Amino acid sequence: MPRTALLLSTALLAVVLSPTASQAADDPAPVPVDRFEGEVPFASQPAEGIFTWGGDSDDPPALQLTARADAPEGQKVLTGAYDISGYGGFTHDFAADRPAHDWSARRGVRFWWEGQDSGKKVPFEIKDGGANGEASELWTTSFTDDFSGWKQIELPFTDFAYRTDYQPVGGIDHVLGLTQMWGYALTLPVGVKGRFAMDDVELYGSADQALRASVTTDAAVYPVREGGTAAVAVTLATTGSAPLDGPVTVAYTTNGGTADPGRDYTPVTGTLTFPAGTASGATRTVKVRTLRDKAGEPAETIPLKLTVTGAKAPAETPQVVIDAGGLPYLDRKSPVRKRVADLLSRMSLEEKAGQMTQAERGAVGEGADVAAYELGSLLSGGGSTPTPNTPQAWAKMIDGFQLRTRATRFQIPLIYGVDAVHGHNNLVGATIMPHNIGIGATRDPRLAQRTGEVTASEVRATGVPWDFAPCLCVSRDERWGRSYESFGEDPALVQSMETVVQGLQGRADGRDLKDDDKVLATAKHFVGDGGTEYGSSTTGTYTIDQGVTEVTRRQLEAVHLAPFRTAVDRGIGTVMPSYSSLDVLGDGQGPVKMHARADMINGVLKGRMGFDGFVISDWNAIDQLPGDYPARVRTAVDAGVDMMMVPYGYKDFTSTLIDEVNAGRVSGRRIDDAVSRILTQKFRLGLFEHPYAQTRNASEIGGAAHRAVARQAAAESQVLLKNSGGLLPLRTSQKVYVAGSNADDLGNQTGGWTVTWQGASGAHTQGTTILDAMRKDGNVTYSKDASAPMTGYDVGVVVVGETPYAEGVGDVGNGHSLQLSAADRAAVDRVCAAMKCAVLIVSGRPQLIGDRLGAIDALVASWLPGTEGDGVADVLYGKRPFTGRLPVTWPRSEAQLPINVGDTAYDPQFPYGWGLTTLTKAPAGGAATLRALGVAAAAAERAGADSAGRALVSRARLIVQQKVGTDLTAAVATPFSDADHLSLTGRYAAAVRKLSEAYRAT
């Protein structure tokens, strides 16, 4: 049905017409973008087409072109159904192999939408600049589905704002030029099942100068000391940098705010003029002089109101701020305790609630809400980065947010946090360490500390003072998708690696936190997240992550709480509770979410252990608690959670918390305790004196010295499980055939939590793959799938394993298993059938390879070595010896899981602590030598000579491993693994006795 006929039909009586939808008499005819008659196919780049996308496999909507008698234009409309849990929508991208479109002559974009009266906002994006639709800047606005039937939605280009929470590449020019457009995208509502119909996307109207010209200020906030003068730069910008068509005037006046005109500042008023022909980039300056009164007082604001004619006005009214001064909490020489008490005594409930609130950077846009809600903290979730993703952009972004705090009464600085769990892993080009599972394999506490030092230096140099690391989980089941975040299955091993806390924070008393190469660390996840039972998770399709840990009180103390006692002793600054539930047998409570366990947070952590830092919740964790929202807030706060990570729900949280306190359901004393803890760490970090990024060390990010530490960590993390005939180390003279999916894939090598939350295969950051590193040392031929001819080679190296994942997404049973992929199995079979072979398993957890072990000459657990593949090549070619030892038990089959050191039934493929060495001959001798070593170990233990004791145990271990060879039985594995645990706890004589028992069982 043509549109004219439709407009006359009685069927259109239900159509709600927008009051702006009528075309002005002098407007040009609209230009079609998408009529949905089939002229644009369902396709993707580089061809033009409509395609869907979403956060997981269920999120992309189902689309089709549907014939409708009531179609506003033509015969068909675009219809779709959706049920989105994460995010989802669809895009129309223009063809990348043809020129971009020019929309600059038009006022806006409009389309017909069949309303369902859902009340939901529907974001609409347009794509500007860049190479194609998927490499363009995103500019967004939205409309509300608060009507029924067809309605024409008009979106003027002046309503679109640059997206700050996500850009695919971004950073092109941050100007909506409209001269190089690549299409549009529409994001559908989350959390409700829905359907939609859409028709006739078109460009309408004529552009005016207000679209092509804009006025901006160089900042939103201008802090000055009392008596100083603020200079507000007002700048003209035009599309395509063209000169102005007509004049632009900017009337300005100081108006409102908390400062008193005449007493605190000299009022100003006037007009700035940019005549026709003015070049883009022209700047005029308005100066505001403040007055000195020498009284101690909070910060005071002076808004500078701008009225713009002929151009788009700034999005915000700039504010001049007279800094707070003369108040006791600002005295850097005063003890922290006194500074906290003074500041706390001055704060309102609203300001205290803000300090207890952490939002995601993407939720606050340019940051105005930082001041409006007195926010205490922001974070970057995994993959939430500035554009471009560079150290300079990080520092600029965080400084911009920090600047917003200057417009609050007491100018309390933000504390910005990131998940830097193996280096500054959100930052492209940063030094990426092995994941914790590999660090645990090194058994090298000094190296663990050095990796923390490198991480802290790189993180702080980008303006971030807070790291959500280390994970002190004791991983008891390798089916857990977070198992690689653990140092190992033995609490003693985890405790020994907590030297990383000093690497991150410095000395335990916190005196180093103010330094520009130290960050506040976070012990997570309190408590028992590594002990969740398989099948107990109720989160989406997860099978074990965020599930239930069922333990006796004794098991809880010995296994899961022990690492947190050590962390508190080491001065850990913050602690993050776990998503998981804790079920302590016999306590009568059953499974209770950790964010609700006051007995554990207030009672054990803060009370018995004496933790004096603050507790930060996990991402939206309160949403998993029972009851309505006020009950969840009340429960978590009363349980001892001091700051709530509510990434996009910060407004609801602050208002709810204030209401709960005012109603007497949360005590003011509890609020004061939480805020005191938060402020204490901010003072210790020196943020009141230095709120902005300290970038002195930025030039060292990803530098040679830092990568050398990561290279050493990668080398020491390699665990040699089997080495028949001394195949390893390789000789540089050998011709080596390399195969496998993980030989030349930096993304697989670095794993999850790298650049993005889940990580990704491929080259997404800077580093050296294992293949590239091997090519530096040897004569190497590579065939990923082992399809190239195999004759004439001395040895094969097959690098296989996992692809990246994070958290419960990686749970076994949630699309993952402990089996190698079919392609990897085929590569192993082909190469190992043709020549002597070494197999390297790049993975976050053991892989089941027992059925192929007989055909493999050498087997290496490479874990997730990070960006420095050179470290792996170092041990393969004998530049360094293999010294790594298993931080977890390597099972024979999945049916054995969970299997851990200390189990009564223990018959693994390789026991905890197993690890062959190269370049060092095993000590001569047998049972008699072991007895002598036991005597010496007892003497070292009595003398407190830990280094000597560990060396004696290591000698005994080498003797046993040499005799055992591949004859690993349960009778050998049980005492062998027990010995490693005993050595870590300082019981060296008992460790040698256990090794003697393993020797006799061979």
Side-chain angles (χ1 to χ4, degrees), residues 766-923:
Q766 298 162 19
T768 304
T769 67
I770 294 171
L771 175 66
D772 285 341
M774 291 180 67
R775 282 173 167 157
K776 298 176 185 178
D777 292 311
N779 183 355
V780 170
T781 297
Y782 174 58
S783 175
K784 181 176 180 179
D785 61 357
S787 61
M790 297 186 188
T791 56
Y793 292 94
D794 299 307
V795 62
V797 174
V798 192
V799 189
V800 295
E802 295 186 303
T803 54
Y805 54 81
E807 301 190 30
V809 175
D811 285 352
V812 168
N814 188 23
H816 295 267
S817 77
L818 299 181
Q819 300 283 350
L820 297 178
S821 69
D824 277 351
R825 293 196 300 270
V828 170
D829 292 345
R830 289 172 189 151
V831 175
C832 293
M835 65 192 81
K836 290 183 179 297
C837 71
V839 173
L840 277 60
I841 299 181
V842 174
S843 64
R845 52 196 168 191
Q847 302 292 284
L848 302 175
I849 200 166
D851 57 342
R852 286 171 168 77
L853 193 56
I856 295 170
D857 298 288
L859 180 64
V860 179
S862 288
W863 308 114
L864 298 168
T867 51
E868 307 314 298
D870 287 310
V872 180
D874 285 345
V875 292
L876 287 178
Y877 278 96
K879 291 181 179 179
R880 290 179 178 268
F882 277 94
T883 57
R885 283 140 59 191
L886 282 181
V888 294
T889 300
W890 198 284
R892 294 183 186 275
S893 69
E894 193 171 336
Q896 288 185 312
L897 297 176
I899 183 171
N900 294 287
V901 57
D903 288 354
T904 53
Y906 190 75
D907 184 22
Q909 193 82 65
F910 298 101
Y912 169 79
W914 185 263
L916 306 176
T917 191
T918 53
L919 308 184
T920 301
K921 290 185 178 180

Side-chain angles (χ1 to χ4, degrees), residues 379-382 417-423 425-426 435-436 466-475 480 482 484-488 494 498 500-501 504-505 520-531 545 559-568 572-580 594-595 605 611 614-619 645 753 757 806-807:
L379 83 151
S380 279
V418 298
D419 287 279
V421 298
H422 63 140
N425 42 257
N426 281 306
H435 269 292
N436 282 354
W466 185 15
D467 185 2
F468 305 133
C471 185
L472 301 184
C473 47
V474 182
S475 176
W480 187 33
R482 300 190 83 137
Y484 63 75
E485 295 186 49
S486 171
F487 290 113
V494 176
E498 289 185 55
V500 71
V501 173
L504 293 167
Q505 290 194 168
L520 196 68
T522 307
K524 64 184 188 184
H525 302 89
F526 186 82
V527 58
D529 56 334
D545 187 36
V559 176
H560 300 292
L561 278 171
F564 289 91
R565 286 197 299 270
T566 300
V568 172
I572 196 78
T574 60
V575 170
M576 181 183 291
S578 176
Y579 280 119
S580 58
M594 275 306 309
H595 283 75
L605 178 65
F611 172 62
F614 70 88
V615 175
I616 171 70
S617 87
D618 211 332
W619 180 284
M645 189 186 293
W753 287 109
W757 173 41
E807 301 190 30

Side-chain angles (χ1 to χ4, degrees), residues 567-869:
V568 172
D569 291 343
R570 287 186 172 276
I572 196 78
T574 60
V575 170
M576 181 183 291
S578 176
Y579 280 119
S580 58
S581 299
L582 181 63
D583 185 359
V584 181
L585 299 177
D587 74 353
Q589 296 189 64
V592 179
K593 284 284 185 181
M594 275 306 309
H595 283 75
R597 291 213 63 141
D599 61 328
M600 299 304 300
I601 300 174
N602 285 330
V604 174
L605 178 65
K606 293 181 175 179
R608 195 180 81 200
M609 292 184 182
F611 172 62
D612 64 357
F614 70 88
V615 175
I616 171 70
S617 87
D618 211 332
W619 180 284
N620 277 337
I622 58 171
D623 290 347
Q624 296 190 8
L625 300 183
D628 59 16
Y629 192 71
R632 297 173 201 158
V633 169
R634 187 168 61 246
T635 296
V637 172
D638 283 345
V641 182
D642 302 304
M643 181 184 284
M644 217 66 65
M645 189 186 293
V646 278
Y648 293 89
Y650 58 92
K651 297 177 185 178
D652 288 340
F653 172 73
T654 53
S655 63
T656 301
L657 179 59
I658 291 166
D659 289 345
E660 290 298 294
V661 176
N662 286 332
R665 290 186 289 268
V666 173
S667 73
R669 183 178 179 182
R670 170 69 192 105
I671 299 301
D672 285 353
D673 171 62
V675 177
S676 294
R677 290 169 175 270
I678 294 164
L679 293 177
T680 296
Q681 298 300 349
K682 290 186 176 184
F683 279 117
R684 286 176 173 172
L685 284 162
L687 294 176
F688 281 82
E689 289 70 48
H690 301 287
Y692 301 115
Q694 301 177 67
T695 59
R696 179 178 62 88
N697 298 318
S699 62
E700 300 174 9
I701 294 173
H706 288 182
R707 290 186 182 273
V709 175
R711 180 174 182 167
Q712 180 183 347
E716 291 191 24
S717 71
Q718 303 299 293
V719 181
L720 183 58
L721 299 173
K722 180 181 179 181
N723 194 25
S724 296
L727 181 66
L728 296 178
L730 303 172
R731 298 185 300 277
T732 57
S733 60
Q734 289 176 306
K735 290 187 65 178
V736 182
Y737 186 101
V738 179
S741 61
N742 285 352
D744 193 33
D745 195 304
L746 194 63
N748 291 356
Q749 189 174 302
T750 52
W753 287 109
T754 309
V755 181
T756 59
W757 173 41
Q758 290 294 316
S761 299
H764 51 38
T765 190
Q766 298 162 19
T768 304
T769 67
I770 294 171
L771 175 66
D772 285 341
M774 291 180 67
R775 282 173 167 157
K776 298 176 185 178
D777 292 311
N779 183 355
V780 170
T781 297
Y782 174 58
S783 175
K784 181 176 180 179
D785 61 357
S787 61
M790 297 186 188
T791 56
Y793 292 94
D794 299 307
V795 62
V797 174
V798 192
V799 189
V800 295
E802 295 186 303
T803 54
Y805 54 81
E807 301 190 30
V809 175
D811 285 352
V812 168
N814 188 23
H816 295 267
S817 77
L818 299 181
Q819 300 283 350
L820 297 178
S821 69
D824 277 351
R825 293 196 300 270
V828 170
D829 292 345
R830 289 172 189 151
V831 175
C832 293
M835 65 192 81
K836 290 183 179 297
C837 71
V839 173
L840 277 60
I841 299 181
V842 174
S843 64
R845 52 196 168 191
Q847 302 292 284
L848 302 175
I849 200 166
D851 57 342
R852 286 171 168 77
L853 193 56
I856 295 170
D857 298 288
L859 180 64
V860 179
S862 288
W863 308 114
L864 298 168
T867 51
E868 307 314 298

Side-chain angles (χ1 to χ4, degrees), residues 176-234:
L176 180 57
L178 298 171
T179 58
Q180 193 177 15
M181 300 302 296
W182 293 103
Y184 65 87
L186 195 143
T187 303
L188 294 165
V190 176
V192 293
K193 288 185 177 181
R195 60 183 180 85
F196 74 91
M198 181 180 184
D199 199 16
D200 191 25
V201 182
E202 63 185 18
L203 307 177
Y204 73 94
S206 295
D208 56 26
Q209 181 168 284
L211 177 62
R212 298 194 298 274
S214 62
V215 168
T216 61
T217 57
D218 56 332
V221 179
Y222 296 83
V224 293
R225 291 186 178 180
E226 190 177 71
T229 298
V232 179
V234 180

